[in-house]
Amino acid sequence: MNAAIIFGLLLALMLTGMPISISLGLTVLTFLFTMTQVPLESVALKLFTGIENFEIMAIPFFILAGNFLTHGGVARRMILFATSMVGHWNGGLGLAGVLACALFAAVSGSSPATVVAIGSILLPAMVKAGFPTRFGAGIITTSGALGILIPPSIVMVMYAVATNTSVGALFMAGVVPGIVLATVLGSVTWYRARKFGYPRQARATWAERFKAFRDSIWGLLLIIIVMGGIYTGIFTPTEAAAMSAVYAFFVAVFVYRDMKLKDVPKVLLNSANMSAMLLYIITNAVMFSFIMTNENIPQTLADWMLSQGLGPVAFLLAVNVLLLAAGNFMEPSSIVLIFAPILFPVAMKLGINPVHFGIIMVVNMEVGMCHPPVGLNLYVASGVTKMGITELTIAVWPWLLSMLCFLLLVTYWPGLSIWFPRYLGMM
Amino acid sequence: MKILDHLEEWLITFLMGGATLITFAAVIHRYMSGLAIPGLQDWLLSLNFSWAQELCIIMFVWMAKFGAAYGVRTGIHVGVDVLINRLSDRNRFKVIVFGLLAGAAFTGIVATFGGRFIWDNGAHYALLHAFGMDPGDLPEGPTTPDLEWPTWLVYSAVPLGSSLMCFRFLQVTYHFIRSGELPHHDHGHVDGIEAKEMPVDVNVYDMDDNLHPHDIKHPMLGEDEDEGGKQ
């Protein structure tokens, strides 16, 4: 009963279009004042201590690092490197786009940032080279989604915080699915480019490839710093994030010199703006899940589902449908923060691996980012290409369809996600 | 008012940069002091960076609270706006005003609660103590574990930030009722397919998507080709 009231209230408040953080907070307040015996003090304390968690602090650091990288010339050099490697195949620049997105995703934790970084440089070049705008936009919108699957990933940090899973293990678990998804998207690109006879680039010589590699080495090194640092235990994920922020600043301002020192405060302010918005959602989501746990809602739900004879297969299917539906209304961070605490206990009772479950959620979020009405990638791509949303929706479907197939693969093949972190001994 | 705006921006910029540098310094310190360089190692070992993590968290909590207020002013907070963006202008106007006032109400309540909480947990004592009055049996309040700062001072971010946020919500509401305009989503910063360089402060959460309500003054981007009237 209480559960129905809480969710009904939350849904009603959210549908009025007020910020998600505010609707979560108001739901908690209303519930506290009207129908519970939870001491107000313990909730007030959550208000203060909700985000006092060093792991959460990885989020602002990764956002800051991403913003430095987006404008610091790292993306441009990665595109050149990717083009020199795969540009001569069918789909040339398109394939290079997929590869560049994958590389950039390995240094940035956010999908829309990847779309901005790669798309704003690559799309004009593709149009100039004779590709239809639709083709390029479809590639960048969907490949940009790799940003949250290939570590580092802000959404994974959110999931880890919401469910007490290890950030390091989640990051490592994203590596193999990330590479597989990049391959899948690349294959679709290659196939379509061959079918429609899109232009290819001249084959680069090994000397040119080596030069492009050397130019982009500063960006590529960051992959080693973050992943290597976390794997070897030199850094915690949060420290790795802070290191990558400082490193990205250094590279952007002093090595590539694509950003001036006077731009730095603007980047800081902008990153603070984005991070504060996400942290504010987290604060209120923490209160919300505290209330839910206090009312035993996730446990009750889990018991009910089990009593219905729901097996892992049916449960995961239901989770996918639920998350894909939620992806029509909300952006990934809010979905993870609201749904993960509810679904996680059920998944645990059904014996699903927590890391595997996290990867399923992340891939679901990726799909949600690429289709209307709220797909962030789609809107960012629309901003970059000046294409309408309707046209973009048509443009992305071949890749989106292959992504849905990939989602099925990830959902029902746990080994794909958990083999690598197991192999590394991180779980 | 301009001063308050600048102060707010300056504060969160500083906190963001400061927290990054402190964490960076602490990590470097930890590894450098492991290196056996005579002289340097002793000096590094004499420095104590155990407070860095705590200070970083405190700075980010402050950044989050004041940044959230700044976010109201820049209109960055995401919501579920798919439905209300389908409403007619008149109805959308009402719903948006309701949403903004709800935001003001929530932050106002939180500010009051937060204020009372820190008052009972040391602020009252500190105030009386500072003026040389006898605090009686008022609690002195706890302190933070590493820095040993009084927690009420650290936690005052909540009432201060929430009050500012409440004020911002009211400000935005007032402006919206007067002009029909919500905080600006600057479409101008993405200059189409020819622009190669994005401005440094392009904001991916600030596109004209369905995560934010559309105001009355501007037509919607993205779906406007059917309805005519591109900006």
Side-chain angles (χ1 to χ4, degrees), chain B residues 9-37:
Chain B
E9 287 168 17
W10 181 85
L11 178 73
I12 59 176
T13 306
F14 164 76
L15 289 171
M16 185 86 199
T20 312
L21 285 180
I22 286 169
T23 308
F24 177 75
V27 175
I28 295 294
H29 169 261
R30 196 171 74 213
Y31 283 94
M32 292 297 278
S33 49
L35 300 176
I37 303 168

Side-chain angles (χ1 to χ4, degrees), chain A residues 51 56-57 59-61 63-64 268-280, chain B residues 8-20 55-71 154 157-158 161 164-165:
Chain A
I51 57 170
I56 295 177
M57 302 311 157
I59 293 167
F61 285 141
I63 288 181
L64 182 61
L268 284 173
L269 181 64
N270 192 35
S271 312
N273 193 11
M274 280 187 220
S275 333
M277 187 267 286
L278 294 177
L279 291 175
Y280 199 66
Chain B
E8 182 184 63
E9 287 168 17
W10 181 85
L11 178 73
I12 59 176
T13 306
F14 164 76
L15 289 171
M16 185 86 199
T20 312
L55 184 61
C56 167
I57 291 177
I58 293 173
M59 286 175 91
F60 270 146
V61 170
W62 279 70
M63 193 270 296
K65 303 301 175 203
F66 286 90
Y70 175 71
V154 172
V158 173
L164 184 62
M165 204 166 165

Side-chain angles (χ1 to χ4, degrees), chain A residues 54-246:
Chain A
F54 198 55
E55 280 197 341
I56 295 177
M57 302 311 157
I59 293 167
F61 285 141
F62 277 131
I63 288 181
L64 182 61
N67 282 348
F68 276 125
L69 292 168
T70 307
H71 307 287
V74 173
R76 187 150 46 82
R77 286 168 181 84
M78 280 183 174
I79 292 171
L80 289 178
F81 172 59
T83 311
S84 76
M85 294 307 286
V86 297
H88 58 286
W89 291 347
N90 279 308
L93 285 177
L95 275 185
V98 178
L99 182 59
C101 280
L103 287 174
F104 194 78
V107 294
S108 139
S110 134
S111 282
T114 309
V115 177
V116 170
I118 304 294
S120 61
I121 301 165
L122 192 67
L123 283 173
M126 284 182 81
V127 172
K128 212 182 264 170
F131 287 91
T133 322
R134 272 190 183 188
F135 185 70
I139 292 170
I140 300 299
T141 309
T142 45
S143 308
L146 287 170
I148 56 169
L149 181 58
I150 297 181
S153 157
I154 292 169
V155 177
M156 284 186 195
V157 177
M158 299 257 184
Y159 175 83
V161 168
T163 61
N164 261 328
T165 313
S166 143
V167 179
L170 271 169
F171 276 9
M172 295 305 162
V175 174
V176 177
I179 294 171
V180 172
L181 180 57
T183 316
V184 170
L185 295 173
S187 316
V188 177
T189 310
W190 180 82
Y191 173 75
R192 289 183 68 83
R194 210 176 65 141
K195 194 168 144 202
F196 297 112
Y198 292 145
R200 300 156 79 152
Q201 305 300 110
R203 179 192 285 270
T205 63
W206 281 103
E208 283 167 336
R209 284 178 186 173
F210 182 70
K211 187 178 174 303
F213 174 72
R214 219 183 40 203
D215 282 346
S216 60
I217 190 74
W218 287 99
L220 298 175
L221 263 180
L222 191 53
I223 304 177
I224 298 171
I225 295 180
V226 174
M227 298 305 289
I230 295 175
Y231 167 58
T232 55
I234 297 180
F235 311 131
T236 65
T238 307
E239 286 170 347
M243 295 301 283
S244 73
V246 175

Side-chain angles (χ1 to χ4, degrees), chain A residues 339-369:
Chain A
F339 284 97
I342 305 171
L343 299 174
F344 189 74
V346 190
M348 291 308 96
K349 283 201 174 159
L350 289 171
I352 297 164
N353 186 292
V355 172
H356 175 221
F357 194 64
I359 300 296
I360 296 176
M361 284 198 89
V362 171
V363 177
N364 264 299
M365 298 304 103
E366 284 190 291
V367 175
M369 300 188 94

